[in-house]
Each structure stands twice: as structure tokens, then as C-alpha cells.
Amino acid sequence: MSNQLHKKTVVVLGNAKSGTSIVAGILYLLGIDIGKKFVEADAYNPKGYFEDYDFVNQTDSIFSAAQSNYWDFPSREKLLLQGREFDKQIQELIKKKSRGKRIWGWKDPWTNILVELFLPYLLSPHFIVTFRNPIDVAKSSFQFTKDKRHEPWVKHPVSFFHGLKLANFYDRIILDFFEKHPRLPRLFISFEDILADTTKEAKRIANFLDVEPTRKQLGEINSFVIPRNKLAQERKRFKLKYLTPRA
């Protein structure tokens, strides 16, 4: 039997600020190849974003070509029209990332609305879809864009109400995608469930991907997931360690 039959591509979907970084971090600790050079951790996400720069640069280029912004309800039709210009780049990127790997994947919330451009070139795609209480997504989006307002990909802070509408906007796009492709393997996972029982949800992810986690991996995953009541402390520790000027 060909090894091709056992290969998998893992794609993490979900709103920005919905817990996709935690899911990607769990994949990384389970030994799934989700990239080598990631967007750097910061005080807002001290354990890291686990976003492969190659995919981030690719999706940023598509958004830029469409003169669109993730935070401003981009036109799905306008973005997908860019496929004619970026089709070859997407094929080459996937070919490079998947070469010689049994299981690999990526996480980048910009993919939510672009996934149709990538789907034709994915071998045995398996989707892990993260959901979070939309009130919390909106609160987090408001604070995140306020803190990141000087970044070119943010443009301006979003209001709480804007963030709430945005959460619904991307959830709807993701659900429409699976309604169009009902046979694609997917695992729906809740951010709140990960926090409540990290081991159980990590095992669900592993089982979905036919991966057998070791006791050490499960221990590392539990240490990786920060309880919400300790997040402020972890952010402060990050600032003191990395952002405080040295004498």
C-alpha cells in the first residue's frame, strides 16, 4: 500500500483570539510538523502563536493584493479571485512544506477565508476548528487590536461590537465551507473545554489524527496551556524577561 494513503495535512481554523494558538501549540508538542520559523511570542501571547512565517507571508500577500484587511470584514469573493495570481505560489508552498512528511500542517487565522485556494493541493486534509465564546473573542479582539494598533496588518483598533460581529462573520464562513464540503474530516473543539480538561482534549486531537501521545507529551501540553487566572502573571513575566531594558 502506498505511503501516500497514510499522509495527512492538518489545518487549524478558527477566529483570531479563539484559541487557535493553543491548538497549534498542542499539535507542535504532539510532534506534528507545523513549521520551523514562527511569528514571535509577545506579551499578549507569551507561549507563542505557532504561525509559520511562510504561510503568514503568503496569506498577507493575498490580502494585500485584494486590498483587504482581516479586521474589516473582507470580501470573500474578492479574495478568492486572487487565486489566479497566487495559484502557483500556493502549490509550491504546499509542495515544499509537505515534502517527505507523513503528517504536517499549519495555523494562520487568515486561512479561514482563503482555505478554498489551498484545498485543491492538500493531501488528505484534516481540519481542527476552534470555537470560543464570542463575547470573549470580541473582548480579546478589542484589547489585542488596541495594543497592536500601530502594526500595518491591524490598521485600527476594533470596538467590542465590531469584534462580536467579526466573530460571527468568520464562524459563518468556516461553517459554510464545511457545509459545501461535508465529507472533509474535521474536529470541532472548544477553547473552554481545553482549559477545563487539557488532557482529554489533547487526546481527542491525537485520536483524530491517529497519533499516540506519550505521557511526557501530555505532561508538556498541560504545562503549556496557561489557566486564565494565571495569564496576567505569565504576561507580566514575559515583559520583565524580554521587554525590560537591561542596565
Side-chain angles (χ1 to χ4, degrees):
M1 185 180 295
S2 170
N3 287 333
Q4 296 288 95
L5 298 177
H6 300 289
K7 290 190 173 185
K8 291 186 180 72
T9 308
V10 187
V11 184
V12 179
L13 299 179
N15 265 285
K17 317 319 301 171
S18 69
T20 55
S21 295
I22 287 181
V23 170
I26 290 172
L27 292 173
Y28 180 80
L29 292 171
L30 286 172
I32 310 300
D33 189 329
I34 59 167
K36 296 293 186 291
K37 186 178 181 182
F38 298 125
V39 171
E40 295 81 3
D42 58 23
Y44 204 89
N45 208 343
K47 292 295 183 81
Y49 291 90
F50 296 92
E51 293 177 5
D52 184 331
Y53 260 120
D54 288 337
F55 278 97
V56 170
N57 291 335
Q58 180 69 79
T59 57
D60 279 354
S61 295
I62 297 171
F63 268 82
S64 295
Q67 298 182 315
S68 298
N69 182 279
Y70 177 92
W71 303 100
D72 286 327
F73 305 100
S75 164
R76 182 174 179 273
E77 291 73 20
K78 191 174 180 181
L79 283 165
L80 295 184
L81 282 175
Q82 307 307 313
R84 291 174 293 190
E85 178 181 348
F86 290 96
D87 184 72
K88 186 171 179 59
Q89 289 183 28
I90 291 170
Q91 289 187 62
E92 289 300 317
L93 176 61
I94 291 172
K95 183 179 178 181
K96 180 179 79 169
K97 293 293 181 178
S98 63
R99 187 178 292 117
K101 298 168 185 173
R102 188 185 71 80
I103 182 167
W104 73 283
W106 81 93
K107 167 257 179 178
D108 172 20
W110 276 232
T111 305
N112 293 335
I113 199 168
L114 300 174
V115 64
E116 292 279 8
L117 300 181
F118 292 83
L119 183 63
Y121 311 111
L122 302 180
L123 183 63
S124 185
H126 282 57
F127 294 89
I128 301 178
V129 190
T130 310
F131 291 96
R132 183 184 183 186
N133 184 319
I135 295 288
D136 292 329
V137 172
K139 288 178 180 177
S140 187
S141 296
F142 166 73
Q143 189 62 52
F144 180 77
T145 56
K146 179 183 176 183
D147 293 345
K148 301 281 188 179
R149 61 188 178 278
H150 300 301
E151 298 284 354
W153 44 269
V154 173
K155 306 293 185 186
H156 59 83
V158 303
S159 67
F160 168 77
F161 186 65
H162 184 109
L164 197 57
K165 290 172 64 180
L166 207 60
N168 179 70
F169 174 77
Y170 283 110
D171 282 347
R172 183 72 261 169
I173 283 172
I174 292 168
L175 293 175
D176 285 347
F177 170 72
F178 288 113
E179 189 169 50
K180 181 180 177 182
H181 303 283
R183 295 189 178 183
L184 288 174
R186 73 263 194 172
L187 176 68
F188 296 122
I189 197 160
S190 158
F191 173 77
E192 291 81 6
D193 286 346
I194 294 174
L195 297 183
D197 194 336
T198 302
T199 298
K200 177 183 176 182
E201 296 307 300
K203 286 181 176 179
R204 284 185 67 221
I205 292 171
N207 183 63
F208 175 64
L209 300 175
D210 295 318
V211 173
E212 188 64 40
T214 65
R215 183 178 299 180
K216 180 182 177 182
Q217 285 174 325
L218 292 174
E220 290 172 343
I221 289 168
N222 274 279
S223 297
F224 164 75
V225 176
I226 306 172
R228 294 300 95 176
N229 62 349
K230 294 183 179 179
L231 183 57
Q233 180 182 352
E234 192 70 27
R235 286 174 175 166
K236 183 178 180 180
R237 185 182 297 118
F238 183 96
K239 288 179 181 179
L240 288 173
K241 184 175 182 180
Y242 296 104
L243 304 180
T244 304
R246 297 183 180 180

